[in-house]
Amino acid sequence: MDYLRRLNPLRALGDLRRFLAQRGKHEIIFLFASFAICYALLATFVWGTTVEKPWVRPDIIYVQSWRADRSEAEILAQQKIDLAQKQKDDAEQARFAAEKRAGYKKLKDKLSPWL
């Protein structure tokens, strides 16, 4: 706890002032130029990352429970129903992937002069 008592922001500013007073004018100019360059790079990254992702309601999948005494015909009928639903879901997923690929291709074509 004794260590924290010795910390004083005014003393730190005084130390910084004394340190900078011992430096040459060209060193201080380069110090502030390097700060400006770092700030400009960070600001550019922050400014350029404004991609907004739309909110999509989560798709909750519940587990189905089945009777233990189902007949083979009932199982096959349910599998046919499930297969049709799976094919529809796979087609939707493929369409979504194609749209995403088209968007990335459009972005690549837009950025290709810069690369």
Side-chain angles (χ1 to χ4, degrees):
M1 196 60 152
D2 186 42
Y3 177 73
L4 294 177
R5 255 188 262 153
R6 290 185 289 165
L7 293 178
N8 186 350
L10 294 177
R11 288 168 105 189
L13 289 176
D15 286 344
L16 179 63
R17 187 184 61 79
R18 283 190 294 279
F19 174 77
L20 292 177
Q22 294 174 357
R23 301 286 132 203
K25 188 175 183 179
H26 68 283
E27 290 177 326
I28 294 174
I29 291 172
F30 279 113
L31 172 74
F32 286 114
S34 66
F35 283 152
I37 289 170
C38 290
Y39 176 76
L41 284 173
L42 287 175
T44 302
F45 281 118
V46 168
W47 177 69
T49 58
T50 56
V51 177
E52 295 180 11
K53 184 177 178 183
W55 183 81
V56 178
R57 181 175 292 277
D59 185 24
I60 300 173
I61 300 172
Y62 296 98
V63 177
Q64 295 178 350
S65 58
W66 302 98
R67 294 186 341 257
D69 60 346
R70 291 185 303 151
S71 68
E72 189 71 27
E74 290 175 335
I75 293 171
L76 291 175
Q78 186 61 45
Q79 286 178 347
K80 287 180 184 176
I81 294 169
D82 292 342
L83 180 63
Q85 181 64 37
K86 183 179 182 317
Q87 289 173 344
K88 187 176 102 174
D89 291 344
D90 289 346
E92 178 69 23
Q93 183 68 25
R95 184 191 62 77
F96 177 73
E99 286 178 3
K100 200 168 196 177
R101 274 194 308 275
Y104 282 131
K105 184 179 182 323
K106 181 180 172 185
L107 181 64
K108 179 184 174 249
D109 293 342
K110 186 177 177 183
L111 294 175
S112 62
W114 295 92
L115 301 175

